[in-house]
Amino acid sequence: MEGMMSFRISSSNNTETMKGKKDELYHVIHKVPSGDTPYVRAKHAQLIEKDPEGAIVLFWKAINAGDRVDSALKDMAVVMKQLDRTEEAIEAIKSFRGLCSKQAQDSLDNVLIDLYKKCGKIEEQIDLLKRKLRLIYQGAAFNGRPTKTARSHGKKFQVSVKQETSRLLGNLGWAYMQKGNYMMAEVVYRKAQMIDPDSNKACNLGLCLIKQGRYEDAQLVLEDVLQSRLPGADETKSRRRAHELLMELRPIHDDLPESLDLLGIDDDFVKGLEHLMNEWGPVRSKRLPIFEEISQFRDQMAC
């Protein structure tokens, strides 16, 4: 009798262990947290049930209940963006980011930049990018650490301050392009390329030069992509784009502006960028010289 009871108990324990492992594997495969809180139910609605509207309702409940507010607010904004509720997502972040931790602010800024880009709020995008660049100058980026952990398509990787600076400058260059300020965009893209070059920013730089009618300069930049001289140049998408841009090259027919002021370029800003490149070395302080200049003319940068 005792042997049979022992066998039943053992079998029961094995069944529970197997069930626990299956539950754990389920959460890993579907990338949903375990539990039965509002945030967990929201993620289940988002990822398993494919019910974005229901997920938003549950994300709101999670925020109001104080349940993983950092993740709930960010995830809700992302789902709203997917539903073209961009303005609502922007207001939600602005209204409730004060409930989030200091560590979450950088991620929320990145979501805001994407939201501003999607709904065409160029000025707001430029202002936020400059604010993030000033945080790097102040040594406040990454909470004072030299790298941060980022996530893309479910994978984690390390990003350095240098890489982040180049990324932000690349986004700033793109924002200036949307305003038609191609000279300012060129300045920013060239400095971003000197910090951490890649083929995507090279193509954008080439487009800036084409828009200014500087076809020979554009050809030199784009050939770097086609000749695989830059990181990412082996990607089919980058090579195809560089080839398409080269096809746009044609003799200059339009007159260029006689002065830089017509395109809103700022000499002081250019000098700040030059200081960055002159003083950036292997060992440097947390303060980047470019941003010492930015504080003096931040209201004049965008035209």
Side-chain angles (χ1 to χ4, degrees), residues 119-163:
C119 65
K121 293 181 177 290
I122 306 302
E123 293 294 343
E124 289 85 347
Q125 185 183 349
I126 288 175
D127 288 342
L128 181 52
L129 286 166
K130 289 191 290 184
R131 182 166 67 81
K132 288 176 70 66
L133 288 166
R134 281 195 295 272
L135 287 176
I136 294 178
Y137 146 68
Q138 295 165 356
F142 301 1
N143 298 309
R145 295 190 297 269
T147 62
K148 73 171 181 178
T149 300
R151 185 188 296 271
S152 178
H153 303 293
K155 296 182 179 180
K156 294 182 179 180
F157 57 95
Q158 293 295 309
V159 177
S160 69
V161 172
K162 188 175 181 180
Q163 291 171 322

Side-chain angles (χ1 to χ4, degrees), residues 180-181 183 256-265 303:
N181 191 346
M183 282 192 174
L256 295 178
E258 295 181 358
S259 70
L260 299 182
D261 292 336
L262 293 179
L263 288 181
I265 200 164
C303 65

Side-chain angles (χ1 to χ4, degrees), residues 171-190:
N171 286 338
L172 184 58
W174 181 254
Y176 278 124
M177 286 180 66
Q178 305 316 296
K179 294 186 64 180
N181 191 346
Y182 298 110
M183 282 192 174
M184 200 65 203
E186 178 197 346
V187 171
V188 174
Y189 272 127
R190 285 195 182 279

Side-chain angles (χ1 to χ4, degrees), residues 261-276:
D261 292 336
L262 293 179
L263 288 181
I265 200 164
D266 193 307
D267 289 339
D268 288 337
F269 179 61
V270 176
K271 291 177 183 177
L273 290 172
E274 292 296 339
H275 288 161
L276 168 63

Side-chain angles (χ1 to χ4, degrees), residues 38-106:
Y39 177 75
V40 172
R41 293 197 295 273
K43 294 299 291 184
H44 193 276
Q46 176 193 1
L47 300 175
I48 306 301
E49 298 174 5
K50 307 298 182 182
D51 178 13
E53 294 287 357
I56 290 174
V57 172
L58 290 167
F59 280 131
W60 273 124
K61 289 184 178 180
I63 293 170
N64 291 328
D67 178 25
R68 304 193 194 186
V69 178
D70 291 2
S71 298
L73 181 57
K74 184 181 72 173
D75 292 346
M76 183 178 72
V78 170
V79 175
M80 286 178 171
K81 177 187 173 185
Q82 294 169 348
L83 296 176
D84 291 325
R85 294 165 61 177
T86 310
E87 297 279 357
E88 187 179 350
I90 290 172
E91 289 305 314
I93 291 179
K94 287 183 175 180
S95 299
F96 293 94
R97 68 182 306 166
L99 300 177
C100 299
S101 66
K102 181 180 178 181
Q103 291 74 18
Q105 300 305 316
D106 183 60

Side-chain angles (χ1 to χ4, degrees), residues 109-117 125 128-129 132 171:
D109 281 344
N110 290 333
V111 174
L112 266 181
I113 289 172
D114 287 340
L115 292 170
Y116 287 147
K117 186 183 297 185
Q125 185 183 349
L128 181 52
L129 286 166
K132 288 176 70 66
N171 286 338

